[in-house]
Amino acid sequence: MTYILALDQGTSSSRSIVFDRQGNIAALAQKELTQHYPQPGWVEHDPMEIWRTQLETARDAIAKAGLKASDIACVGITNQRETTVVWNRKTGEPVCRAIVWQDRRSEPTCAALREQGHDTQILEKTGLRVDAYFSGTKLKWILDNTPQARRLAEKGELAFGTIDSWLIWQLTKGRIHASDVSNASRSMLFDVHRNTWDDALMGLLDIPPGLMPDVLPSSAHYGDVDAEWLGRAIPICGVAGDQQSALFGQACFSEGMAKNTYGTGCFMLMHTGGKFQISRNGLVTTSAAQTSGRTEYALEGSVFVAGAVVQWLRDGLGAFDKSSEVEALAQSVPDSGGVMLVPAFTGLGAPYWKPDVRGTITGLTRGSTMAHIARAALESIAFQSAALLQAMSRDAVAAGAAPLAELRVDGGACVNDLLMQFQADLLGIPVLRPTMIETTALGAAYLAGLHHGIYQDKEELSALWRIERRFTPGMPAGQADELMQKWEHAVRQACAD
């Protein structure tokens, strides 16, 4: 058998999965990641904890599978995307904590860019809206607010990277400073037409060019894991941001195919082929994972808080002890009893883009219970995703394509049957759950395997995709529309001053 090690560094945990050639899991190891909230709207991670937990899980997964390093053909990496790290090239030490993608502290910089009229230029070059979500303004904040950081950066002594670059640097002991096109495309600094860092955009944010990693296709050789870490030198052959990696792992290789990942946030991507399409409905355009020099794109909608709302019920409200208990609690009532929860803990993402909005619960009565709130929390994930798909379908029709006919789903929360059925009911199209829901890690494994020659082409990968369950809409369209109108009303209430 040939095995591939996928490193899946996410927002809430570091995970490593060993896959066999058929895309089956041989072993999985996971460690939770500490979340730091130093101020309202700020979210941070310790980069050294990220590196330590990722290495520990890699070793654990190989051991759990009963394998040796010599059994691992290659390594793929997928990661939380916009989370920003700056480190010293000589020591490998970060200059501060990583600023997580959910963090909103750089919104004043974004507001200034919009006021100065740079949003159109940024949108046309990068496909992105000007928002604190993306890594470019986080990098500027670190340079402007960390002692000595800008001076050292201008001397070429610091390196910038998203989590993929940080892990590659550590795994190769500083020999490789690189990123892939899918991660680079989330920075507001990368021209997705030319696949290169853009001097004009770097100048807007006063970013010294010497900070930046080299950018490669997603399926390429990124150096070798140093023999000290896993027992032998193993080539790193695939790298992609988590959402583009999931799109690849779901075998959504053709224009019009779409997936939704239910993780800490919710991320819906629709492949648009080689067509760069600017959304007119609140979505962003992003680079899809690339297996060659051919540029491919996807429309994307990002929900900032999805599975994280379940964590909040568990940790913030003490509603249950384990996140897995939420479904039973939600099913103990027939519906939410009119309760609507808008989980805008860090603002609202697509298609609303309201960075200053905060979470609300409306429709409470004397008869409301924690079960109703739990149900409303689960339903909020589906409502937000439905708003994304409606926007995506409008963009597809505007581009002369057909509306989305089905949605492939993955991520931890997609195992929740109540949520998936409600999602299908709201969307009015089938929701397809594959047998392998770890598609984020699987995409990284496939990208690595393609470059290494384990797989010949995408057609071979498409044949490996298997459906586990199809959720068919069972709600009348009028009732679904009425529920969506109530959701939009709740969003307007949350946005009201």
Side-chain angles (χ1 to χ4, degrees):
M1 294 293 292
T2 298
Y3 294 92
I4 304 170
L5 174 65
L7 308 182
D8 182 0
Q9 205 299 301
T11 310
S12 56
S13 69
S14 296
R15 303 192 308 159
S16 294
I17 303 179
V18 177
F19 290 99
D20 67 19
R21 193 185 183 285
Q22 299 303 311
N24 302 310
I25 293 177
L28 182 153
Q30 179 169 346
K31 290 184 182 291
E32 275 208 26
L33 198 61
T34 308
Q35 310 294 310
H36 300 275
Y37 307 103
Q39 294 186 33
W42 290 28
V43 189
E44 297 177 349
H45 288 160
D46 176 357
M48 297 310 295
E49 183 187 5
I50 288 175
W51 161 233
R52 184 177 66 254
T53 54
Q54 194 63 74
L55 179 60
E56 288 171 354
T57 59
R59 290 169 171 167
D60 289 350
I62 293 172
K64 280 184 178 180
L67 302 173
K68 304 183 295 295
S70 57
D71 297 313
I72 305 299
C74 54
V75 173
I77 297 173
T78 185
N79 56 286
Q80 50 167 322
R81 293 174 298 179
E82 300 81 8
T83 297
T84 301
V85 188
V86 176
W87 65 93
N88 189 294
R89 291 182 180 273
K90 295 177 182 176
T91 67
E93 292 288 326
V95 301
C96 62
R97 284 180 182 157
I99 300 181
V100 177
W101 58 272
Q102 298 161 312
D103 190 285
R104 306 303 301 173
R105 75 185 69 181
S106 63
E107 172 55 28
T109 299
C110 294
L113 289 171
R114 291 190 290 265
E115 288 166 9
Q116 292 159 13
H118 296 301
D119 43 350
T120 300
Q121 174 192 8
I122 290 170
L123 178 65
E124 290 175 348
K125 286 185 175 182
T126 70
L128 306 178
R129 299 172 63 97
V130 175
D131 193 82
Y133 176 25
F134 305 110
S135 53
T137 56
K138 301 181 196 300
L139 172 56
K140 175 176 171 56
W141 190 95
I142 290 174
L143 295 179
D144 290 344
N145 292 276
T146 305
Q148 303 298 315
R150 184 167 289 283
R151 182 181 66 83
L152 292 172
E154 288 170 351
K155 290 171 62 178
E157 295 183 18
L158 300 185
F160 151 76
T162 41
I163 299 302
D164 57 316
S165 300
W166 170 243
L167 291 177
I168 292 166
W169 178 278
Q170 296 293 343
L171 289 165
T172 64
K173 287 194 170 179
R175 287 186 284 272
I176 304 294
H177 182 211
S179 184
D180 92 298
V181 291
S182 68
N183 278 292
S185 75
R186 309 295 294 181
S187 64
M188 278 178 30
L189 302 170
F190 190 74
D191 186 325
V192 297
H193 306 276
R194 298 183 296 123
N195 276 354
T196 185
W197 299 114
D198 187 86
D199 291 338
L201 298 180
M202 303 261 289
L204 276 181
L205 292 177
D206 199 15
I207 306 296
L211 281 163
M212 311 307 285
D214 296 329
V215 181
L216 305 176
S218 311
S219 188
H221 185 216
Y222 285 79
D224 296 343
V225 177
D226 192 86
E228 177 187 345
W229 301 132
L230 298 177
R232 80 170 181 96
I234 306 174
I236 303 167
C237 294
V239 177
D242 50 10
Q243 302 314 318
Q244 291 97 327
S245 187
L247 189 72
F248 201 85
Q250 285 273 34
C252 293
F253 303 138
S254 305
E255 183 176 343
M257 297 183 75
K259 70 89 197 174
N260 197 23
T261 297
Y262 297 80
T264 303
C266 247
F267 302 89
M268 189 179 293
L269 273 73
M270 180 179 72
H271 207 294
T272 60
K275 185 190 306 177
F276 177 85
Q277 180 183 344
I278 291 178
S279 171
R280 302 302 176 195
N281 294 283
L283 307 178
V284 300
T285 307
T286 195
S287 293
Q290 294 174 12
T291 57
S292 65
R294 181 173 181 267
T295 304
E296 296 184 339
Y297 303 101
L299 282 175
E300 174 174 342
S302 304
V303 169
F304 295 156
V305 175
V309 73
V310 178
Q311 290 178 317
W312 173 72
L313 288 175
R314 181 193 68 190
D315 302 335
L317 297 188
F320 35 77
D321 295 325
K322 297 178 182 177
S323 295
S324 57
E325 297 169 11
V326 67
E327 183 170 14
L329 180 60
Q331 281 189 319
S332 68
V333 290
D335 53 47
S336 69
V339 176
M340 297 292 278
L341 193 161
V342 179
F345 303 146
T346 55
L348 283 173
Y352 308 106
W353 297 105
K354 298 287 186 180
D356 299 324
V357 173
R358 292 297 175 258
T360 60
I361 301 176
T362 57
L364 292 171
T365 67
R366 184 65 183 82
S368 300
T369 67
M370 187 59 75
H372 293 104
I373 295 173
R375 182 135 187 159
L378 277 186
E379 291 181 352
S380 76
I381 301 173
F383 280 127
Q384 292 177 97
S385 296
L388 290 182
L389 186 128
Q390 289 175 355
M392 209 164 267
S393 286
R394 287 194 294 271
D395 278 332
V397 171
L404 291 177
E406 64 180 31
L407 181 67
R408 298 185 175 189
V409 297
D410 55 74
C414 87
V415 302
N416 190 308
D417 290 348
L418 174 68
L419 173 59
M420 291 300 99
Q421 184 57 55
F422 188 64
Q423 188 71 85
D425 289 343
L426 283 182
L427 298 178
I429 60 174
V431 167
L432 310 183
R433 185 169 65 197
T435 55
M436 173 55 64
I437 64 167
E438 299 290 354
T439 52
T440 300
L442 185 63
Y446 281 169
L447 287 163
L450 269 177
H451 183 78
H452 200 265
I454 295 169
Y455 307 109
Q456 295 306 305
D457 50 37
K458 292 178 183 176
E459 287 70 27
E460 184 177 355
L461 298 176
S462 291
L464 294 175
W465 191 86
R466 296 281 187 276
I467 187 170
E468 180 263 333
R469 181 166 174 182
R470 176 188 297 267
F471 295 88
T472 305
M475 181 183 291
Q479 185 180 348
D481 289 343
E482 185 179 335
L483 286 172
M484 283 304 297
Q485 288 171 17
K486 289 180 179 178
W487 164 256
E488 296 296 345
H489 177 69
V491 169
R492 289 192 295 274
Q493 286 179 296
C495 295
D497 291 332

